[in-house]
Amino acid sequence: MDDVAKAIIAVDGAKVSFGAVKALDGVTLRVMPGECVGLVGHNGAGKSTIVSVINGGLTPHDGTVTSDGERQERYGINAARDRGVRCVFQELSLCPNLSIVENTRLVHRALGGFGWRSRAAEIIEKSLDAVFPGHGIDSGLTVGDLSIAERQMVEIALAFSDAGTPARLVILDEPTSSLDASLARQMLDHVRRFIAGGGSVIFISHILHEILETCDRIVVMKDGRVVAERPAQGFDHHGLVEAMGSVAKAETRQRPVREQSAAHAILSHQASGLPFTARTGEIIGLAGLAGHGQTELLLALHAARSGNWLPQRNPLVTFVAGDRRLNGVFELWSILRNFSIASLGDMSSRGLVLEAGEKAKGAAWKERIEIRTPNMDNRILSLSGGNQQKVLFARALATRAPVVLMDDPMRGVDVGTKQEVYAIIRDEAARGRTFIWYSTEMEEVCLCDRVYVFREGRITAELVGHAVNETNIISASFEGTA
Amino acid sequence: MNTLVRQFGKPWVWSWLAAFIVWFLTILVTGGAGTLGLSQAAFTFAAFSVIVGIGQMFVITLGPGNIDLSVPATMTLAGTVALKLMNVENGMILPGLLLAVFIGLGVGLCNYTLIKALRIPPIIATLSMSFIVQSGAIWTNRGLRIKPPSVLADFTTSSTLGVPNVAIVAFLISILAWILLEKTIYGRWISAIGQSMPAARMAGIPVDGTRFVTYLFCAVLASISGYLLACFSGGAALNMGAEYLLMSIAVVVIGGTAVAGGDSNVPGIWGASLFMFLVVSMLNTYGLGAGIRLIMTGLIIISVIMLAGGRRGMR
């Protein structure tokens, strides 16, 4: 096999199972030098698992890993790093208590010895400048002080950085999920430059046009198998969605413009810039570049309307977290308990939780938003990321709160699930619920009835009805930057 | 939750197993003589640790950094002040108990005020509070040892159907705690806060209210335990709470409650409390010197924690 001899990494017939779940069911994947391979599929299709096999984090129960024509018997994370395999994880993996420079040192084991700080600073700054020109991130900052987008940028730059062993294969697992359009553009351009220089990339994303325009070859996975593999020219947006087996329509239909200005105002907030008001039954989008104050507004709205001391019988607001590991899931608990925590008041009498009612409500929501699990008593961490996010959604929607705050909740959720959730949101809004929705994806912002555009912590523009479109939002986001 | 527990093994089994082994080793030496006496004594002394330990467990469940070190001082103050008020009169038993509970509420309130208003970490806030409370106890006591009312002294030292009365009280409190923890919204809330405070806040849980109530609950249980202990031992002494500082934390940890918070259980507290008493009596029975006894106690506790901890690590 000539192919295998040349491939940077070749995985043949890999099988991995976790208990009864077959995460990989005989996957064969080859990555050639100078090639960008796109990997797409639903949540739980096995994308993250094959990535773990390639970066040495998991040993397949069956099948082989070959690198540069040599069969790898004792393949592990260090062996993979020595071969120039780098990974940007879906769940951010930097140590938040350390500075960027110190994180660089952790990743590059060769950086030891006297004066490592200045060498590490040089390496990471060079890489940041190369990937994100004009990034404005100081490498002495502690990672915990960075916004989620900046953390993601550092992590990407770290993967491409070179300290002795140059990167040959970089795995990008949903790298753009926290980045806004312009940063994502910069990163994709860098990927193309890296490929042109003979490097290889495995690129995983739910944003299909990124995959289509960046990759040379696209591999579609479903239920732990490769179901389609073609050069990128062989796919179009529609074909890709079809190959993933999604029944939902790829193109979001232009929503009917709903006139809401007469509706009753339910929530208002005086932030800096334009005043913020929300009316009953409205879907309000918070747009603008990532990290320009949208999350802060959501947190302020939540803090102002929820009690820290007394339980509230009828809360006004409920929150869907975007950073689910930080302020979303309760890791020790089952799916059911994670779901029910926000609406326990409705499933109890005199402070005692009625377990039958809790179970019934959990089963109903499992059905309604299709949480893929055999049993709601399984631990929450047994679910894939997208399904965990669905549980958080169900948690919020199951409350009686008339206002739902959403902090970029679709991060890392597959196309089919997104369409299901959009439908639920529209349905709930029609019944009089208000949604305040921060999203980094233009497509989602365009679903909203009204959009506030943020710029440097201020609301700088308000778009209503037909004015809500990509051009207007982008021009409002960049306005005033001279 | 049931399947969860079944799947991963019940963490409290280990403390009961350890308690049983130690009990068995002890009666092996005595040849069965005094088995009933040993068991009764174990339940009597365990009862005090159980009551204090349950309060501490609720606080530890709140997550990393949450601990109440004012427990021993609260016990002493509640014991001394209540005995002084009752002044050996049987008619004053109920006012005495109410005063003890009131002292607990006061200490809990001050603890959480320090933690919240002055943003002092719980370990320092409760420790400094304990100095104030202990000084209060010294000031009211002035070295006098007042006897408890006769009815109360009889009640705490006798048994009903072979079961020590204090153990019955502790058992009733345990049932209440178990219901609170497993069946109520409040129990869910403290477990959620222990796993992730930001997530709990975003889920709409009244975080400060819940933590406040938990610190109150812990201090009230400590003062009830102090009240009973003072009556049991025939009068309050200024050092009577001292051993319960380590004890209250040890029984929580040995009982299989997660030190990192969010996961706790009531039965384990009983197993651990019995174990802690039985270890000492076993080593006494073997006739070992005081020094060896302390070293052995330490080693045995460490090995039980390692055993239980090892099991939990496999999750």
Side-chain angles (χ1 to χ4, degrees), chain B residues 3-32:
Chain B
T3 40
L4 233 174
V5 169
R6 234 177 286 137
Q7 244 169 310
F8 301 111
K10 300 178 176 89
W12 53 265
V13 169
W14 295 93
S15 63
W16 279 91
L17 195 68
F20 181 76
I21 290 172
V22 174
W23 175 81
F24 190 72
L25 288 177
T26 315
I27 58 166
L28 215 58
V29 173
T30 59

Side-chain angles (χ1 to χ4, degrees), chain B residues 274-312:
Chain B
L274 291 170
F275 169 74
M276 290 293 283
F277 174 80
L278 287 166
V279 163
V280 177
S281 45
M282 175 183 80
L283 296 174
N284 276 332
T285 316
Y286 283 20
L288 297 172
I292 307 256
R293 216 166 59 213
L294 282 175
I295 294 174
M296 289 290 288
T297 315
L299 289 179
I300 293 172
I301 292 174
I302 291 172
S303 44
V304 168
I305 292 177
M306 268 170 60
L307 250 178
R311 282 286 301 174
R312 296 158 56 78

Side-chain angles (χ1 to χ4, degrees), chain A residues 299 302 307-311 319 326-328 330-333 337 340-342 344 348 351-353 355 358 377 379, chain B residues 1 3 8 112 179 183-185 188-189 191-192 195-196 198-203 205-209 212 261 263:
Chain A
L299 292 177
H302 185 264
N308 247 337
W309 288 92
L310 291 174
F319 191 87
L326 177 69
N327 51 20
F330 298 105
E331 301 191 346
L332 298 175
W333 270 355
R337 286 195 169 201
S340 63
I341 182 70
L344 283 174
S348 60
L352 291 176
V353 178
E355 281 173 23
E358 186 188 6
D377 288 329
R379 297 186 80 184
Chain B
M1 195 59 203
T3 40
F8 301 111
Y112 199 65
I179 291 174
K183 298 288 170 196
T184 65
I185 299 183
R188 293 280 178 95
W189 281 349
S191 172
Q195 292 174 61
S196 165
R201 199 161 266 148
M202 289 346 268
I205 295 170
V207 173
D208 286 322
F212 175 56
D263 185 19

Side-chain angles (χ1 to χ4, degrees), chain B residues 125-159:
Chain B
T126 54
L127 195 59
S128 40
M129 197 59 219
S130 101
F131 283 114
I132 298 173
V133 174
Q134 184 72 29
S135 310
I138 293 170
W139 179 71
T140 47
N141 182 291
R142 293 174 199 273
L144 294 171
R145 195 174 171 93
I146 303 166
K147 279 199 160 46
S150 58
V151 172
L152 208 49
D154 287 345
F155 173 77
T156 48
T157 47
S158 58
S159 304

Side-chain angles (χ1 to χ4, degrees), chain A residues 261-279:
Chain A
S261 55
H264 162 67
I266 190 164
L267 193 65
S268 59
H269 187 80
Q270 184 53 57
S272 47
L274 299 175
F276 174 89
T277 338
R279 300 191 189 90

Side-chain angles (χ1 to χ4, degrees), chain A residues 130-150:
Chain A
V131 187
F132 301 104
H135 54 83
I137 300 172
D138 176 1
S139 64
L141 286 176
T142 306
V143 168
D145 296 336
L146 301 177
S147 72
I148 192 162
E150 285 171 328

